[in-house]
Amino acid sequence: MHGPLTCYLLWYRKLTQSYLDDQQMIRFVLLFTLFLIGLFVLELLPVGQDWVVVPFTKAIAQISAWLIQQIDQEVTSYGVVLQDKVSGLISISGNR
């Protein structure tokens, strides 16, 4: 059985731990929101387009073309475009 001082210390520990958890959660939400807004703004800027978005989209198009070529050899990829060689139809264009 715990004495009154021990019960108070346990209650105080629980209270401060809850406060620290709340502070950590608030910090996480604020940092997450700041990073989300910052990365979204960076994505909209030309430097973000040139250094991140276009290379990423090109890589996705090349990987997709390679996967499709395992089934159909008439698919090609150039830049951010997937195209059928025979019909000339553009399947996917990663342009804005």
Side-chain angles (χ1 to χ4, degrees):
M1 183 113 184
H2 299 293
L5 180 60
T6 307
C7 288
Y8 173 76
L9 291 174
L10 290 173
W11 171 81
Y12 182 75
R13 181 177 174 198
K14 184 178 178 183
L15 179 67
T16 56
Q17 185 63 38
S18 174
Y19 176 74
L20 291 175
D21 289 345
D22 290 346
Q23 290 295 321
Q24 290 171 345
M25 187 173 296
I26 290 170
R27 181 175 180 256
F28 170 78
V29 169
L30 289 175
L31 285 174
F32 181 80
T33 304
L34 287 174
F35 277 116
L36 187 67
I37 291 170
L39 290 173
F40 183 71
V41 168
L42 179 64
E43 185 267 336
L44 291 175
L45 295 173
V47 71
Q49 290 286 321
D50 295 340
W51 285 77
V52 178
V53 175
V54 173
F56 178 75
T57 309
K58 284 181 182 179
I60 293 294
Q62 290 173 350
I63 291 168
S64 299
W66 180 82
L67 288 171
I68 295 170
Q69 284 174 351
Q70 305 307 309
I71 300 168
D72 181 11
Q73 294 295 319
E74 301 301 322
V75 174
T76 186
S77 169
Y78 58 93
V80 294
V81 176
L82 283 178
Q83 187 173 16
D84 184 10
K85 293 177 187 176
V86 176
S87 66
L89 293 175
I90 296 176
S91 302
I92 298 173
S93 176
N95 296 338
R96 284 190 155 210

